[in-house]
Amino acid sequence: MSPIHDVLILGSGPAGYTAALYAARANLKPLVLAGIQPGGQLTITTEVENYPGFREAIMGPELMEIMRDQALRFGAEILPLSVERVDFMRHPFTVWADDGQEFRARTVIVATGATAKLLGIPTEHLFMGYGVSACATCDGFFFRNQRVIVVGGGDTAMEEATYLTRFATEVVVVHRRDELRASKIMQERALRNPKIRFVWDHEVIEVLGEPQRKVTGARLRNVITGETSHHAIDGIFVAIGHRPNTRFLEGQLPMDDRGYLKVELGTARTAVPGVFAAGDVADAVDRQPVTAAGTG
């Protein structure tokens, strides 16, 4: 039978590594199952300028390497495994990894994060971090005095578009429909902003530029007529929402209608004593490295 760990951490972004650091310093010998993307979303981010403690920008992958090594230095164990299913109905808790291994623990911290929904077009991955982004708060500063596209029509898109007007000379909102899904107040705020222009009934079908260097344009398609057009642009922000990585927890922990884990207000406690949720997996609002680390 597998040993019983004091603390088992699922996920290895800022929340997971911070939880591992604190647990290790408390001599709890935490085990981290790092997941399919060790380091989380910051590993596909280039320069990070809004994480405290660095005078100059730091590359996302480097920041996550530092967090990982800090946790390891204090005795955390990290395995490159993903979680396939869990049993939180009985104590100690049981977690099964994708390679079939079984882990048991007295305490589990879920820090599997949330994944930005993307467009699903091949070229978007070639430019991710080089002009294509899913986080205006993270990357908006790099587009000062440039033109950018925001894809989406919900609250997230309107928030991103409005935020980007602090830096960009023009923000072009591209939406597949002829009306927005955002709340009324967010719509009005965006529609009143002279820096925001709307392109209705269109979708982005191709990102143009020099792959892994810079974006120079986008090809759009009219979803009604099928006509395509080229738009000179410096950046594309995909703002069609996030998907919390909680599918493997269905039936085990309470979630909201979008799949985010529910926690006790002001804490990381879930409804199951001994199971905690940290970072973006329980945060549908901020989704920032520093807030994720704080809950970790």
Side-chain angles (χ1 to χ4, degrees):
M1 184 171 288
S2 59
I4 301 175
H5 298 274
D6 285 326
V7 177
L8 180 61
I9 299 169
L10 314 182
S12 59
Y17 282 152
T18 303
L21 170 63
Y22 275 77
R25 283 174 53 82
N27 201 32
L28 293 173
K29 299 179 177 60
L31 172 63
V32 179
L33 303 186
I36 59 174
Q37 190 178 5
Q41 291 191 77
L42 282 185
T43 59
I44 58 171
T45 302
T46 51
E47 294 182 325
V48 177
E49 291 191 320
N50 60 355
Y51 195 87
F54 298 91
R55 289 191 180 91
E56 306 296 333
I58 183 171
M59 299 297 285
E62 182 185 0
L63 176 58
M64 297 319 301
E65 286 178 10
I66 292 172
M67 288 190 188
R68 178 201 63 199
D69 292 347
Q70 189 177 14
L72 288 171
R73 183 164 72 90
F74 287 100
E77 181 183 0
I78 301 173
L79 296 179
L81 298 174
S82 297
V83 180
E84 197 163 82
R85 60 190 177 95
V86 303
D87 181 1
F88 291 160
M89 300 297 107
R90 290 184 293 272
H91 201 270
F93 307 119
T94 306
V95 171
W96 288 269
D98 53 359
D99 69 345
Q101 287 192 68
E102 177 184 305
F103 299 91
R104 295 189 300 155
R106 297 179 178 88
T107 299
V108 174
I109 299 172
V110 181
T112 47
T115 303
K117 296 178 183 178
L118 299 178
L119 301 174
I121 57 177
T123 48
E124 107 186 292
H125 295 285
L126 295 175
F127 292 94
M128 184 61 66
Y130 298 92
V132 173
S133 172
C135 179
T137 310
C138 309
D139 301 325
F141 178 82
F142 302 112
F143 295 88
R144 189 176 295 276
N145 299 322
Q146 298 184 44
R147 297 178 69 244
V148 299
I149 278 176
V150 171
V151 181
D155 278 351
T156 298
M158 295 308 101
E159 289 172 6
E160 300 264 279
T162 301
Y163 178 81
L164 286 166
T165 59
R166 302 181 187 184
F167 311 103
T169 56
E170 183 182 36
V171 177
V172 181
V173 174
V174 177
H175 188 38
R176 287 178 52 86
R177 299 176 178 83
D178 61 358
E179 61 181 6
L180 299 171
R181 293 179 290 105
S183 59
K184 194 68 175 175
I185 188 170
M186 292 304 300
Q187 289 190 43
E188 291 175 351
R189 190 174 298 165
L191 290 166
R192 285 199 311 264
N193 195 311
K195 279 191 172 184
I196 299 177
R197 177 167 65 89
F198 290 83
V199 177
W200 307 104
D201 298 319
H202 278 73
E203 62 184 355
V204 176
I205 59 171
E206 186 179 6
V207 182
L208 307 171
E210 302 173 47
Q212 298 190 338
R213 288 196 63 188
K214 65 176 181 178
V215 169
T216 59
R219 192 176 306 281
L220 307 187
R221 177 171 57 203
N222 187 307
V223 297
I224 298 174
T225 66
E227 294 182 20
T228 63
S229 55
H230 171 270
H231 294 254
I233 212 77
D234 302 296
I236 299 175
F237 287 82
V238 183
I240 54 178
H242 286 72
R243 183 182 299 107
N245 301 318
T246 56
R247 186 170 298 176
F248 70 99
L249 295 169
E250 290 177 359
Q252 297 288 327
L253 292 173
M255 309 176 189
D256 67 13
D257 56 0
R258 291 176 293 175
Y260 287 92
L261 296 182
K262 293 182 177 180
V263 295
E264 182 182 321
L265 185 63
T267 77
R269 298 189 189 98
T270 71
V272 177
V275 178
F276 301 85
D280 292 6
V281 75
D283 177 10
V285 179
D286 295 310
R287 294 193 299 268
Q288 294 298 300
V290 67
T291 55
T295 57

